Amino acid sequence: MSKTKHSKQFSLLIKPASADCNLRCEYCFYIDHLGFYPESKIHRMPLDVLEKMISSYMSTAQQQYTFGWQGGEPTLMGYDFYKTAIEFQKKYGKNGTLVSNSIQTNGTFLDDKLVSLFAEYKFLAGVSLDGPAEIHNHYRKTHSGTGTHEQVMNGISMLKKHEVEFNILCLVSKSNARKAGELFRYFIDNGFNYLQFIPCVEFDGNNVLAPFAITPEEWGHFLCGLFDEWMHYGPEKVYIRGFDAILARLLNNSISQCNMASNCCMYFVVEWNGDVFPCDFFVKKELLLANIMNDSWEKIESSEIYQNFGKQKSMRNSGCRICPYLKLCAGDCLKHRIYGSFTRPDGPSHLCEGWKIFFKHSLPRFKKFAEKIKKMQAHS
């Protein structure tokens, strides 16, 4: 099988069940997408689409083939689907091919059979958990309104039992934005040392910040509190994705998160039916790039819609040009720049003032810690 040359590496974020989910979390931005494919109430990726996606992707020249399974809730697909996906990866990958699989899950559908498969093939699992039960259950509920904390913890126990590597994804919303210290201690007490925190920023149809979403100041102060706890506990003991991304930028100028890049052409979203979009936050009809059943990755990569979408990242607000923190935030994620009444990418990030609060508070200590790491590396 010949490999097609590509000028740029890319990964896939796959939504095999589209927006379908067994939960109904109030703040989920994908609730609005439940009617995105109205021709069917239930969305499951057919095996011919799965095979075409994997075979075509693995015919491109990548250093590593990265499959991120997401949703909705991707575990709705069940054991047989992921077993088949792995068989296709084996079929279309040459000896020595590097393949990685990750799955982002709410943790409530994990069972022995599925998790044992994840363990055998070294899946990395991300589990959504917003903190202790009284915080987590505030928004993360079933269709009937029941909290899900106990189910999630049972799912995590299953991952531990099978020794599947996992990290915690915590959404920072109105329920926990003022509880950074409590969250950090809760996660550490439970032995969760790989953490990711993302801000809940959503607007309603009237361009008003949703009641569960956070203000810039709440985000900034949350990060400051989290950073202080991290530094006090020992930053070398706990991986916090956003903080480690800042360190990587300071240490070797590398970019490990797409929001820190100057262009948004980083990965592709593949929907259940093979439709391809440029970003998880921008699955919109006008940004449909192609369908993998009909179009090549070469054509998708070079599409005018995709290239123009990516370039928007560098169309920053004028205030960014004189900001001392531009290198670290790159103007922030487009999702936080194109929102509400801001319909152009040169709008200021909704979280801009929060980022400034955080960087002013933390950057001197980040730099000091980065210097410490450099010295350790020099003597190793």
PDB file of all heavy atoms in Angstrom, residues 348-370:
ATOM      1  N   PRO A 348     -12.522  40.108  20.326  1.00  0.00           N
ATOM      2  CA  PRO A 348     -11.719  39.690  21.471  1.00  0.00           C
ATOM      3  C   PRO A 348     -12.245  38.390  22.053  1.00  0.00           C
ATOM      4  O   PRO A 348     -13.444  38.113  21.996  1.00  0.00           O
ATOM      5  CB  PRO A 348     -11.909  40.857  22.460  1.00  0.00           C
ATOM      6  CG  PRO A 348     -13.263  41.398  22.122  1.00  0.00           C
ATOM      7  CD  PRO A 348     -13.399  41.252  20.630  1.00  0.00           C
ATOM      8  N   SER A 349     -11.363  37.583  22.587  1.00  0.00           N
ATOM      9  CA  SER A 349     -11.798  36.367  23.252  1.00  0.00           C
ATOM     10  C   SER A 349     -12.693  36.719  24.435  1.00  0.00           C
ATOM     11  O   SER A 349     -12.407  37.641  25.198  1.00  0.00           O
ATOM     12  CB  SER A 349     -10.587  35.572  23.758  1.00  0.00           C
ATOM     13  OG  SER A 349     -10.999  34.565  24.666  1.00  0.00           O
ATOM     14  N   HIS A 350     -13.765  35.972  24.577  1.00  0.00           N
ATOM     15  CA  HIS A 350     -14.630  36.155  25.752  1.00  0.00           C
ATOM     16  C   HIS A 350     -13.828  36.028  27.039  1.00  0.00           C
ATOM     17  O   HIS A 350     -14.125  36.696  28.033  1.00  0.00           O
ATOM     18  CB  HIS A 350     -15.747  35.111  25.733  1.00  0.00           C
ATOM     19  CG  HIS A 350     -16.517  35.013  27.018  1.00  0.00           C
ATOM     20  ND1 HIS A 350     -17.371  35.988  27.464  1.00  0.00           N
ATOM     21  CD2 HIS A 350     -16.515  34.044  27.982  1.00  0.00           C
ATOM     22  CE1 HIS A 350     -17.892  35.638  28.624  1.00  0.00           C
ATOM     23  NE2 HIS A 350     -17.390  34.458  28.956  1.00  0.00           N
ATOM     24  N   LEU A 351     -12.786  35.202  27.018  1.00  0.00           N
ATOM     25  CA  LEU A 351     -12.013  34.913  28.222  1.00  0.00           C
ATOM     26  C   LEU A 351     -10.758  35.772  28.360  1.00  0.00           C
ATOM     27  O   LEU A 351      -9.950  35.542  29.261  1.00  0.00           O
ATOM     28  CB  LEU A 351     -11.621  33.431  28.235  1.00  0.00           C
ATOM     29  CG  LEU A 351     -12.785  32.437  28.277  1.00  0.00           C
ATOM     30  CD1 LEU A 351     -12.259  31.020  28.114  1.00  0.00           C
ATOM     31  CD2 LEU A 351     -13.569  32.566  29.578  1.00  0.00           C
ATOM     32  N   CYS A 352     -10.590  36.760  27.493  1.00  0.00           N
ATOM     33  CA  CYS A 352      -9.346  37.528  27.446  1.00  0.00           C
ATOM     34  C   CYS A 352      -8.942  38.082  28.812  1.00  0.00           C
ATOM     35  O   CYS A 352      -7.802  37.893  29.251  1.00  0.00           O
ATOM     36  CB  CYS A 352      -9.480  38.666  26.438  1.00  0.00           C
ATOM     37  SG  CYS A 352      -8.005  39.712  26.321  1.00  0.00           S
ATOM     38  N   GLU A 353      -9.835  38.766  29.474  1.00  0.00           N
ATOM     39  CA  GLU A 353      -9.481  39.363  30.761  1.00  0.00           C
ATOM     40  C   GLU A 353      -9.137  38.305  31.800  1.00  0.00           C
ATOM     41  O   GLU A 353      -8.300  38.533  32.676  1.00  0.00           O
ATOM     42  CB  GLU A 353     -10.609  40.272  31.255  1.00  0.00           C
ATOM     43  CG  GLU A 353     -10.826  41.511  30.390  1.00  0.00           C
ATOM     44  CD  GLU A 353      -9.548  42.324  30.226  1.00  0.00           C
ATOM     45  OE1 GLU A 353      -8.851  42.538  31.243  1.00  0.00           O
ATOM     46  OE2 GLU A 353      -9.243  42.744  29.090  1.00  0.00           O
ATOM     47  N   GLY A 354      -9.786  37.161  31.700  1.00  0.00           N
ATOM     48  CA  GLY A 354      -9.463  36.067  32.609  1.00  0.00           C
ATOM     49  C   GLY A 354      -8.066  35.531  32.386  1.00  0.00           C
ATOM     50  O   GLY A 354      -7.329  35.253  33.337  1.00  0.00           O
ATOM     51  N   TRP A 355      -7.690  35.379  31.109  1.00  0.00           N
ATOM     52  CA  TRP A 355      -6.326  34.934  30.805  1.00  0.00           C
ATOM     53  C   TRP A 355      -5.295  35.932  31.334  1.00  0.00           C
ATOM     54  O   TRP A 355      -4.247  35.541  31.864  1.00  0.00           O
ATOM     55  CB  TRP A 355      -6.147  34.752  29.303  1.00  0.00           C
ATOM     56  CG  TRP A 355      -6.786  33.529  28.725  1.00  0.00           C
ATOM     57  CD1 TRP A 355      -7.797  33.462  27.808  1.00  0.00           C
ATOM     58  CD2 TRP A 355      -6.448  32.164  29.033  1.00  0.00           C
ATOM     59  NE1 TRP A 355      -8.105  32.161  27.521  1.00  0.00           N
ATOM     60  CE2 TRP A 355      -7.292  31.343  28.247  1.00  0.00           C
ATOM     61  CE3 TRP A 355      -5.525  31.570  29.891  1.00  0.00           C
ATOM     62  CZ2 TRP A 355      -7.233  29.945  28.309  1.00  0.00           C
ATOM     63  CZ3 TRP A 355      -5.456  30.184  29.943  1.00  0.00           C
ATOM     64  CH2 TRP A 355      -6.312  29.394  29.163  1.00  0.00           C
ATOM     65  N   LYS A 356      -5.579  37.209  31.205  1.00  0.00           N
ATOM     66  CA  LYS A 356      -4.644  38.230  31.694  1.00  0.00           C
ATOM     67  C   LYS A 356      -4.471  38.138  33.207  1.00  0.00           C
ATOM     68  O   LYS A 356      -3.356  38.247  33.729  1.00  0.00           O
ATOM     69  CB  LYS A 356      -5.127  39.621  31.298  1.00  0.00           C
ATOM     70  CG  LYS A 356      -4.996  39.929  29.819  1.00  0.00           C
ATOM     71  CD  LYS A 356      -5.535  41.312  29.498  1.00  0.00           C
ATOM     72  CE  LYS A 356      -5.397  41.635  28.011  1.00  0.00           C
ATOM     73  NZ  LYS A 356      -5.975  42.971  27.683  1.00  0.00           N
ATOM     74  N   ILE A 357      -5.579  37.933  33.914  1.00  0.00           N
ATOM     75  CA  ILE A 357      -5.520  37.767  35.375  1.00  0.00           C
ATOM     76  C   ILE A 357      -4.609  36.593  35.717  1.00  0.00           C
ATOM     77  O   ILE A 357      -3.744  36.680  36.599  1.00  0.00           O
ATOM     78  CB  ILE A 357      -6.929  37.544  35.944  1.00  0.00           C
ATOM     79  CG1 ILE A 357      -7.763  38.824  35.858  1.00  0.00           C
ATOM     80  CG2 ILE A 357      -6.855  37.065  37.404  1.00  0.00           C
ATOM     81  CD1 ILE A 357      -9.235  38.628  36.187  1.00  0.00           C
ATOM     82  N   PHE A 358      -4.799  35.499  34.999  1.00  0.00           N
ATOM     83  CA  PHE A 358      -4.042  34.282  35.285  1.00  0.00           C
ATOM     84  C   PHE A 358      -2.563  34.436  34.947  1.00  0.00           C
ATOM     85  O   PHE A 358      -1.685  34.096  35.757  1.00  0.00           O
ATOM     86  CB  PHE A 358      -4.637  33.119  34.500  1.00  0.00           C
ATOM     87  CG  PHE A 358      -3.793  31.880  34.526  1.00  0.00           C
ATOM     88  CD1 PHE A 358      -3.465  31.257  35.724  1.00  0.00           C
ATOM     89  CD2 PHE A 358      -3.306  31.327  33.347  1.00  0.00           C
ATOM     90  CE1 PHE A 358      -2.674  30.109  35.751  1.00  0.00           C
ATOM     91  CE2 PHE A 358      -2.527  30.191  33.365  1.00  0.00           C
ATOM     92  CZ  PHE A 358      -2.203  29.585  34.567  1.00  0.00           C
ATOM     93  N   PHE A 359      -2.247  34.947  33.770  1.00  0.00           N
ATOM     94  CA  PHE A 359      -0.841  35.055  33.379  1.00  0.00           C
ATOM     95  C   PHE A 359      -0.084  36.053  34.255  1.00  0.00           C
ATOM     96  O   PHE A 359       1.088  35.824  34.592  1.00  0.00           O
ATOM     97  CB  PHE A 359      -0.731  35.438  31.902  1.00  0.00           C
ATOM     98  CG  PHE A 359      -1.044  34.309  30.958  1.00  0.00           C
ATOM     99  CD1 PHE A 359      -1.971  34.470  29.938  1.00  0.00           C
ATOM    100  CD2 PHE A 359      -0.411  33.082  31.090  1.00  0.00           C
ATOM    101  CE1 PHE A 359      -2.256  33.433  29.066  1.00  0.00           C
ATOM    102  CE2 PHE A 359      -0.695  32.038  30.224  1.00  0.00           C
ATOM    103  CZ  PHE A 359      -1.621  32.216  29.213  1.00  0.00           C
ATOM    104  N   LYS A 360      -0.736  37.130  34.620  1.00  0.00           N
ATOM    105  CA  LYS A 360      -0.086  38.096  35.512  1.00  0.00           C
ATOM    106  C   LYS A 360       0.265  37.440  36.842  1.00  0.00           C
ATOM    107  O   LYS A 360       1.332  37.676  37.422  1.00  0.00           O
ATOM    108  CB  LYS A 360      -1.004  39.296  35.736  1.00  0.00           C
ATOM    109  CG  LYS A 360      -0.390  40.375  36.618  1.00  0.00           C
ATOM    110  CD  LYS A 360      -1.330  41.565  36.782  1.00  0.00           C
ATOM    111  CE  LYS A 360      -0.701  42.636  37.667  1.00  0.00           C
ATOM    112  NZ  LYS A 360      -1.614  43.811  37.841  1.00  0.00           N
ATOM    113  N   HIS A 361      -0.627  36.576  37.322  1.00  0.00           N
ATOM    114  CA  HIS A 361      -0.446  35.895  38.602  1.00  0.00           C
ATOM    115  C   HIS A 361       0.596  34.780  38.538  1.00  0.00           C
ATOM    116  O   HIS A 361       1.377  34.585  39.469  1.00  0.00           O
ATOM    117  CB  HIS A 361      -1.798  35.310  39.044  1.00  0.00           C
ATOM    118  CG  HIS A 361      -1.749  34.499  40.296  1.00  0.00           C
ATOM    119  ND1 HIS A 361      -1.772  35.070  41.548  1.00  0.00           N
ATOM    120  CD2 HIS A 361      -1.681  33.149  40.498  1.00  0.00           C
ATOM    121  CE1 HIS A 361      -1.728  34.125  42.470  1.00  0.00           C
ATOM    122  NE2 HIS A 361      -1.665  32.944  41.855  1.00  0.00           N
ATOM    123  N   SER A 362       0.635  34.062  37.424  1.00  0.00           N
ATOM    124  CA  SER A 362       1.386  32.809  37.383  1.00  0.00           C
ATOM    125  C   SER A 362       2.681  32.838  36.597  1.00  0.00           C
ATOM    126  O   SER A 362       3.587  32.024  36.852  1.00  0.00           O
ATOM    127  CB  SER A 362       0.500  31.715  36.780  1.00  0.00           C
ATOM    128  OG  SER A 362       0.190  32.013  35.426  1.00  0.00           O
ATOM    129  N   LEU A 363       2.815  33.731  35.629  1.00  0.00           N
ATOM    130  CA  LEU A 363       3.920  33.635  34.684  1.00  0.00           C
ATOM    131  C   LEU A 363       5.302  33.689  35.335  1.00  0.00           C
ATOM    132  O   LEU A 363       6.197  32.923  34.938  1.00  0.00           O
ATOM    133  CB  LEU A 363       3.794  34.705  33.603  1.00  0.00           C
ATOM    134  CG  LEU A 363       4.655  34.495  32.356  1.00  0.00           C
ATOM    135  CD1 LEU A 363       4.456  33.105  31.768  1.00  0.00           C
ATOM    136  CD2 LEU A 363       4.342  35.562  31.304  1.00  0.00           C
ATOM    137  N   PRO A 364       5.544  34.551  36.332  1.00  0.00           N
ATOM    138  CA  PRO A 364       6.870  34.537  36.968  1.00  0.00           C
ATOM    139  C   PRO A 364       7.244  33.167  37.537  1.00  0.00           C
ATOM    140  O   PRO A 364       8.390  32.719  37.383  1.00  0.00           O
ATOM    141  CB  PRO A 364       6.734  35.581  38.074  1.00  0.00           C
ATOM    142  CG  PRO A 364       5.687  36.519  37.568  1.00  0.00           C
ATOM    143  CD  PRO A 364       4.703  35.646  36.862  1.00  0.00           C
ATOM    144  N   ARG A 365       6.274  32.508  38.153  1.00  0.00           N
ATOM    145  CA  ARG A 365       6.569  31.184  38.718  1.00  0.00           C
ATOM    146  C   ARG A 365       6.658  30.120  37.632  1.00  0.00           C
ATOM    147  O   ARG A 365       7.439  29.164  37.767  1.00  0.00           O
ATOM    148  CB  ARG A 365       5.514  30.817  39.760  1.00  0.00           C
ATOM    149  CG  ARG A 365       5.770  31.506  41.118  1.00  0.00           C
ATOM    150  CD  ARG A 365       4.750  31.111  42.154  1.00  0.00           C
ATOM    151  NE  ARG A 365       3.458  31.751  41.886  1.00  0.00           N
ATOM    152  CZ  ARG A 365       2.347  31.465  42.562  1.00  0.00           C
ATOM    153  NH1 ARG A 365       2.371  30.523  43.509  1.00  0.00           N
ATOM    154  NH2 ARG A 365       1.218  32.100  42.291  1.00  0.00           N
ATOM    155  N   PHE A 366       5.896  30.256  36.561  1.00  0.00           N
ATOM    156  CA  PHE A 366       6.054  29.342  35.422  1.00  0.00           C
ATOM    157  C   PHE A 366       7.479  29.418  34.876  1.00  0.00           C
ATOM    158  O   PHE A 366       8.123  28.397  34.615  1.00  0.00           O
ATOM    159  CB  PHE A 366       5.071  29.708  34.309  1.00  0.00           C
ATOM    160  CG  PHE A 366       3.787  28.921  34.313  1.00  0.00           C
ATOM    161  CD1 PHE A 366       2.569  29.571  34.376  1.00  0.00           C
ATOM    162  CD2 PHE A 366       3.797  27.538  34.245  1.00  0.00           C
ATOM    163  CE1 PHE A 366       1.369  28.851  34.359  1.00  0.00           C
ATOM    164  CE2 PHE A 366       2.612  26.809  34.234  1.00  0.00           C
ATOM    165  CZ  PHE A 366       1.400  27.474  34.290  1.00  0.00           C
ATOM    166  N   LYS A 367       7.969  30.637  34.714  1.00  0.00           N
ATOM    167  CA  LYS A 367       9.309  30.827  34.160  1.00  0.00           C
ATOM    168  C   LYS A 367      10.376  30.267  35.099  1.00  0.00           C
ATOM    169  O   LYS A 367      11.352  29.643  34.648  1.00  0.00           O
ATOM    170  CB  LYS A 367       9.555  32.307  33.891  1.00  0.00           C
ATOM    171  CG  LYS A 367       8.734  32.865  32.733  1.00  0.00           C
ATOM    172  CD  LYS A 367       9.001  34.346  32.519  1.00  0.00           C
ATOM    173  CE  LYS A 367       8.232  34.871  31.308  1.00  0.00           C
ATOM    174  NZ  LYS A 367       8.445  36.334  31.107  1.00  0.00           N
ATOM    175  N   LYS A 368      10.173  30.466  36.383  1.00  0.00           N
ATOM    176  CA  LYS A 368      11.128  29.950  37.368  1.00  0.00           C
ATOM    177  C   LYS A 368      11.154  28.426  37.344  1.00  0.00           C
ATOM    178  O   LYS A 368      12.227  27.801  37.400  1.00  0.00           O
ATOM    179  CB  LYS A 368      10.749  30.453  38.761  1.00  0.00           C
ATOM    180  CG  LYS A 368      11.748  30.102  39.840  1.00  0.00           C
ATOM    181  CD  LYS A 368      11.358  30.733  41.168  1.00  0.00           C
ATOM    182  CE  LYS A 368      12.361  30.391  42.267  1.00  0.00           C
ATOM    183  NZ  LYS A 368      11.971  31.005  43.571  1.00  0.00           N
ATOM    184  N   PHE A 369       9.978  27.818  37.238  1.00  0.00           N
ATOM    185  CA  PHE A 369       9.896  26.359  37.186  1.00  0.00           C
ATOM    186  C   PHE A 369      10.496  25.828  35.886  1.00  0.00           C
ATOM    187  O   PHE A 369      11.169  24.792  35.870  1.00  0.00           O
ATOM    188  CB  PHE A 369       8.444  25.904  37.335  1.00  0.00           C
ATOM    189  CG  PHE A 369       8.270  24.417  37.447  1.00  0.00           C
ATOM    190  CD1 PHE A 369       9.022  23.673  38.352  1.00  0.00           C
ATOM    191  CD2 PHE A 369       7.365  23.749  36.640  1.00  0.00           C
ATOM    192  CE1 PHE A 369       8.866  22.294  38.462  1.00  0.00           C
ATOM    193  CE2 PHE A 369       7.199  22.375  36.730  1.00  0.00           C
ATOM    194  CZ  PHE A 369       7.949  21.639  37.637  1.00  0.00           C
ATOM    195  N   ALA A 370      10.281  26.549  34.779  1.00  0.00           N
ATOM    196  CA  ALA A 370      10.865  26.145  33.500  1.00  0.00           C
ATOM    197  C   ALA A 370      12.391  26.165  33.568  1.00  0.00           C
ATOM    198  O   ALA A 370      13.066  25.273  33.030  1.00  0.00           O
ATOM    199  CB  ALA A 370      10.372  27.063  32.380  1.00  0.00           C
TER     200      ALA A 370
END
